Amino acid sequence: MLFVTWNVNSLRARLPRVLELLGEHQPDVVALQETKCSAENLPIAELDEAGYAVVHHSAGQWAGVALLVRRPLEPEAPLLGLPGDPVPSEARWCEATVAGVRFVSTYVPNGRTLDNPEFPRKLAFLEAAAKRAAAIRLEAEMVIAGDLNIAPEDVDVHDPLAYVGSTHVSAPEREALAAITEGGQLVDAFRHLHPDEQQFTWWDYRAGNFHKNLGMRIDLALVSSGLAQGLLACGIDRDFRKGFKPSDHAPLLVWLGLG
DNA sequence: ATGACTTTCACGGAAAGA
């Protein structure tokens, strides 16, 4: 089974590239973030035409997450929103069960700066996510994936010194991420298969940062231990950060050994 | 040193991203 997670930075603006990804890789399950799309504007007909059912949690103009599921697979027991999220209106979490596995698409708050009120909101979201991961673990194998907005280690940023004092690399954020993986007994799929590689999933649109490879690895697929044993491959498709109207994130592809 | 770009809504420019 091929699973993909991708922050598309607007599903409507990115629809041609999303359809390109679906056609090229034919993934079974796709987690999308920053759909930035109201429920009435969801391009459900185009996605259906491509062979995918959609679970979408919308906050209108900002954020928004979705799961696409390729027929004949079907999403079961969808859950929209993270239980315990202090700001549930932002639509940063959705779940569905596919082929017996619980899939989560999440868009963790950015946090802006360490002294911004958004920063404790980010930590509170991560704390609720850890609780939810621990609860899912009692029920099913799972994949919690999305734009975690945390670089797990210094190797996951192009210049660790440049990020000292910034969000995405701070100790509280990294500890909160560790609490999610510990509570859910989860493994960072890319790092598990590539212990030493430096690869990024996000590059700022500005200043030619992509072409200089000045990026961060902040889009993660966290897989439960039962799935980690069967992982076949994991990679980042940088081609989707190139070309016509790219997102500022590249998709992360995970081949799960589910047959 | 700073900002650089792209999206939203809406029709100018602010907010948000990370």
Side-chain angles (χ1 to χ4, degrees):
Chain A
M1 169 187 275
L2 175 58
F3 169 77
V4 175
T5 182
W6 192 15
N7 180 326
V8 290
N9 182 18
S10 170
L11 178 54
R12 282 194 295 165
R14 215 65 58 215
L15 187 61
R17 303 306 302 266
V18 171
L19 295 175
E20 179 188 351
L21 177 110
L22 299 179
E24 182 175 329
H25 290 295
Q26 305 203 341
D28 299 288
V29 179
V30 182
L32 300 177
Q33 301 85 39
E34 284 207 87
T35 56
K36 292 185 172 179
C37 183
S38 63
E40 54 268 32
N41 286 328
L42 187 69
I44 195 160
E46 291 89 339
L47 294 167
D48 180 72
E49 174 76 13
Y52 288 81
V54 188
V55 173
H56 184 220
H57 190 28
S58 170
Q61 180 175 1
W62 303 116
V65 288
L67 287 162
L68 313 182
V69 180
R70 186 171 170 236
R71 291 192 293 269
L73 293 170
E74 292 179 0
E76 299 163 41
L79 174 69
L80 306 184
L82 170 63
D85 183 349
V87 192
S89 60
E90 290 186 345
R92 295 176 175 276
W93 182 281
C94 72
E95 303 178 9
T97 299
V98 183
V101 175
R102 195 69 172 159
F103 287 90
V104 176
S105 177
T106 186
Y107 172 47
V108 172
N110 172 297
R112 299 188 190 167
T113 58
L114 297 183
D115 59 359
N116 191 288
E118 279 296 305
F119 189 71
R121 183 272 185 279
K122 179 178 191 174
L123 297 180
F125 183 92
L126 293 165
E127 189 177 336
K131 285 188 182 145
R132 182 62 189 154
I136 296 171
R137 181 177 156 255
L138 304 176
E139 309 279 330
E141 299 293 337
M142 71 182 124
V143 179
I144 297 183
D147 180 355
L148 276 288
N149 265 325
I150 300 170
E153 301 173 275
D154 279 355
V155 69
D156 297 312
V157 300
H158 67 87
D159 182 0
L161 288 178
Y163 282 89
V164 171
S166 300
T167 58
H168 296 66
V169 301
S170 74
E173 287 162 274
R174 286 175 169 171
E175 286 160 13
L177 176 61
I180 294 172
T181 56
E182 284 163 21
Q185 297 203 343
L186 298 159
V187 167
D188 177 344
F190 180 85
R191 188 54 71 214
H192 183 67
L193 292 180
H194 305 283
D196 303 313
E197 273 185 53
Q198 182 175 65
Q199 285 194 35
F200 305 132
T201 63
W202 171 85
W203 301 259
D204 199 311
Y205 280 123
R206 296 169 288 187
N209 275 10
F210 176 67
H211 300 287
K212 299 181 213 165
N213 198 28
L214 304 181
M216 291 198 280
R217 189 175 71 92
I218 55 176
D219 298 86
L220 309 176
L222 308 174
V223 306
S224 55
S225 46
L227 295 175
Q229 295 175 351
L231 275 176
L232 300 173
C234 183
I236 297 152
D237 192 342
R238 291 170 46 99
D239 287 347
F240 286 89
R241 184 61 180 79
K242 306 173 185 173
F244 175 71
K245 286 187 68 161
S247 170
D248 47 354
H249 296 250
L252 175 73
L253 284 63
V254 186
W255 283 266
L256 300 163
L258 292 177

